[in-house]
Each structure stands twice: as structure tokens, then as C-alpha cells.
Amino acid sequence: MITHCNSANFNDVDGIIGFGWADQNRSAAILKTLTQPARPHWDITQRADFHPMPRKFAFTASEEVGELQLGGFEPDSIAEPMQLFPMAGYAYGVNVTSIKFGETELLNFAPGHDAYVGEFDSGTTCLLLPNSSVNGTFAKSPFELLLQRQNKGEAFPLVYTIGGRQFEIAFKECVEPADKAMILGDPWFRKWIVMHDLEDLHDKKMGLALRDPNYKLGVETDHATLTSSERAKKLAMTSQELAEVRAVSKVRANRHLRPAQLALTQTKYQKQAVDKVALSSASRVTYNVKLSIGTPPQPLQVIFDTGSFMLAVFAEPAPNGVKPILDAESAAFEESQGVQEVIFELNL
């Protein structure tokens, strides 16, 4: 529960749902709860008819709207076969072996290095490139090399190489410097279907496929979109049968561009790093999705984020004598992600 917030990013929403992954027994990862029949360390046992969501999802967007595809990816949304790559780093990353700007190679690796992790984050508006040698990983700052060529009037797309395959990002897309991070931000999600596959936790993968230009984004596969006869028929099915009928569910995400002063949103709990809501960027895109919580269901609109792992909604403070529960493992995981400052307080 969020009991205090001083970030204007949350002025028009009821909370946040993070689809990041944290596998500790006591992790508060909502994706973990949705994808298994029980969370014994949280004393959670799902209903007998509960069918766990497959541990994979995809996200894509346009300038107007985003779409979250639960349980995999929508086959009708892709214009080419889905290409799979080993997941790298602490988050949803891949190993990038080259970035070329025209004939200029931006990733000049020092001896002993041949790849650098690029992390996918739909909440970062631009592309982020390291603006340093990153402790000797590069012979020269990748962002500085790019800036030098652009200052000479050169205008080329950025061509990334991942797993031996090239991916081109248009010159018009914004690029920003970062101390160490290489972020594959919103421009990637606006061109490709980006799949996050954690089915095999020992062999996690990221997937990329060009989105079909004729595919209509944001058309949800919800019971509310069915006719009365279709709804009655589907509501009579068990969750297992329903899952077999529609393996992938689609959720509309409304796109919002936040101004620069609202870009950074990070959290701590009792002076320990807990959850990262956003990465530092000069501006920030957020995608809001609708969900319902409680009995009876209460409709809420929350920020969807792949850079954090909690479901947190605004609520009144806990009654006196009720102590929040948060295992130190969760804090240790997020601390490894470089969380720095307090923005809102969480009670779990």
C-alpha cells in the first residue's frame, strides 16, 4: 500500500503494477504471484479453479497507446517470426555487441570485453547510452562518439547488433547520456513486439519481432468486449478451459508523456532500497492500465512498469499495532539495481 507520495507522476493514477521479476521466496513480485498456484512464504494459496498465467508477456506501443499481451505474444501482431535472445543482466536485458552510426562503431570494447547489457524499459522515453568508459569496458565513451559525429552534421540511424542480428532505430529518435546504463527505451517498443519469457527460469529469454503495421493496438480481450451470448458461454467455462481458448490476453495501456522535472521516481523503505519505479531520463513515458482489486472488485488505474516488481496502490495508513512485512531479500535485490532516493513510502 502507498501511504505517502511526493511524485506528481502519480497524480492521476491509483498506484503502480510492476512486471519485473524477483525470485526470492519472500519477494513481493506480483508477476510471481500471478504465475504460480501458491506463495507459501506469504501464506497465499490460490482458489482451486485458478489457472496460473504463463510466465511470459509482451509489450508494444504507438505514439498514442500501448498494449500489454499476457501469457505470450499475439501472433496477429507480428510481421516476422519472433527472434529469441538469452536474457542478460539483472533486469530485462540482452547482450549488445555493436552499435553503429553510419560507419562509426560506438561500442569500442577494451580487451576482455565483447558485449554490454542493454536493458529494455518502456518507461524511458529515449535511448540511453553510457557517457563514460564504464570502468574500462570501453576505450571511449559511446555517447561522446555519437555526439562528435552528430556535431559534424552526420545523420544516420543507430544500428544495434544483438545475437548476430541487426536492429535499426531511426535517427529522429532521441538519445541521452547515462553514467553507465544502456537503456533500450520507448523507441524499441514503438517498433517491435518485445516479449519477456521467464517460462524456464534457468534459460530466460527476450524476444523481438517487428510489429505488423496493420495490427490495431489497444483492442482488449476482456469479457466486456463480448456479446451477451458469448459472455454467458465463456463465463460458464472453467479457468483452464478459458485459458485454452485464449492463451494470450490483451490489455490496453494509455500512454502519457511526463515533463522532465517528473522523470525520476525511485523508492526506499525504512532507509533501504525497495523498488525502482523509473530510470533517470530527461523525460518519461508512462503507460496506465486498468485492473480491479478486492471483493467486490474495485476498479483502479495504475502505471504499468517493467522496471519494478511490486503491485502498490494508494491506501490509508495501517491501524496502530499493525506492523508492515517486508523481507530484506526484496530490498537487497532492488539495491543491486542502483536505487538511490526516497520518493514514496510503502506498507506491505
Side-chain angles (χ1 to χ4, degrees):
M1 297 185 296
I2 305 173
T3 58
H4 170 73
C5 178
N6 63 3
S7 168
N9 279 342
F10 290 82
N11 284 352
D12 56 354
V13 296
D14 301 303
I16 184 168
I17 183 168
F19 258 44
W21 181 258
D23 198 36
Q24 298 90 339
N25 289 331
R26 292 283 292 165
S27 95
I30 186 64
L31 186 59
K32 189 171 184 178
T33 302
L34 294 173
T35 56
Q36 57 191 53
R39 294 293 307 274
H41 291 84
W42 285 98
D43 294 325
I44 295 174
T45 301
Q46 306 286 12
R47 299 186 335 183
D49 63 347
F50 175 77
H51 184 73
M53 186 186 89
R55 203 160 44 228
K56 53 187 175 182
F57 65 94
F59 192 75
T60 189
S62 67
E63 294 283 0
E64 294 79 31
V65 66
E67 182 173 287
L68 172 61
Q69 301 174 353
L70 300 173
F73 66 92
E74 170 59 69
D76 291 342
S77 66
I78 61 175
E80 61 179 356
M82 181 66 71
Q83 302 291 318
L84 297 177
F85 307 97
M87 200 177 288
Y90 293 105
Y92 294 128
V94 290
N95 282 319
V96 180
T97 55
S98 171
I99 304 176
K100 297 202 76 172
F101 181 72
E103 296 300 317
T104 302
E105 174 60 63
L106 302 183
L107 302 186
N108 292 298
F109 291 106
H113 301 274
D114 57 9
Y116 197 76
V117 175
E119 296 184 358
F120 289 96
D121 185 1
S122 60
T124 301
T125 310
C126 299
L127 308 169
L128 269 60
L129 289 178
N131 193 26
S132 69
S133 67
V134 190
N135 301 320
T137 301
F138 304 107
K140 193 170 184 179
S141 155
F143 182 80
E144 185 179 338
L145 284 170
L146 175 64
L147 190 62
Q148 288 174 354
R149 306 314 301 180
Q150 289 184 341
N151 285 340
K152 292 183 177 181
E154 297 181 8
F156 301 103
L158 287 176
V159 180
Y160 290 69
T161 299
I162 302 169
R165 186 178 175 193
Q166 294 184 333
F167 298 87
E168 184 176 298
I169 298 287
F171 174 74
K172 67 177 182 179
E173 302 292 358
C174 61
V175 183
E176 295 179 347
D179 289 340
K180 297 180 179 180
M182 180 188 294
I183 303 300
L184 313 180
D186 192 55
W188 284 79
F189 294 87
R190 286 189 280 107
K191 186 171 182 178
W192 287 280
I193 306 292
V194 181
M195 187 174 72
H196 312 67
D197 186 347
L198 299 100
E199 284 284 83
D200 183 348
L201 292 177
H202 300 290
D203 187 24
K204 297 178 286 188
K205 296 184 181 299
M206 295 298 301
L208 289 168
L210 281 171
R211 188 173 71 242
D212 188 329
N214 297 316
Y215 179 72
K216 186 175 181 180
L217 282 175
V219 179
E220 298 187 87
T221 53
D222 186 86
H223 287 305
T225 65
L226 303 174
T227 65
S228 58
S229 60
E230 288 174 323
R231 190 179 304 116
K233 180 180 178 182
K234 285 193 178 292
L235 289 176
M237 294 180 175
T238 67
S239 61
Q240 175 66 45
E241 290 170 331
L242 188 58
E244 291 172 353
V245 170
R246 187 176 296 282
V248 176
S249 295
K250 297 184 291 184
V251 179
R252 179 185 177 91
N254 295 314
R255 189 174 192 265
H256 295 267
L257 182 61
R258 309 291 182 176
Q261 62 268 30
L262 306 182
L264 184 60
T265 309
Q266 300 179 328
T267 69
K268 281 194 177 183
Y269 174 81
Q270 293 182 346
K271 298 183 179 180
Q272 288 187 308
V274 175
D275 192 22
K276 175 181 64 61
V277 178
L279 290 159
S280 176
S281 177
S283 56
R284 170 160 171 79
V285 170
T286 63
Y287 292 95
N288 300 345
V289 299
K290 295 179 181 178
L291 52 78
S292 295
I293 295 177
T295 305
Q298 301 179 53
L300 302 171
Q301 184 167 232
V302 298
I303 293 174
F304 171 76
D305 181 41
T306 59
S308 60
F309 61 75
M310 291 182 182
L311 169 63
V313 296
F314 287 102
E316 295 294 329
N320 290 334
V322 177
K323 184 179 180 180
I325 301 173
L326 183 67
D327 192 89
E329 291 176 295
S330 297
F333 174 85
E334 283 298 328
E335 192 168 28
S336 71
Q337 309 300 296
V339 180
Q340 297 174 351
E341 61 178 294
V342 178
I343 295 295
F344 58 73
E345 299 168 1
L346 300 180
N347 288 330
L348 297 178

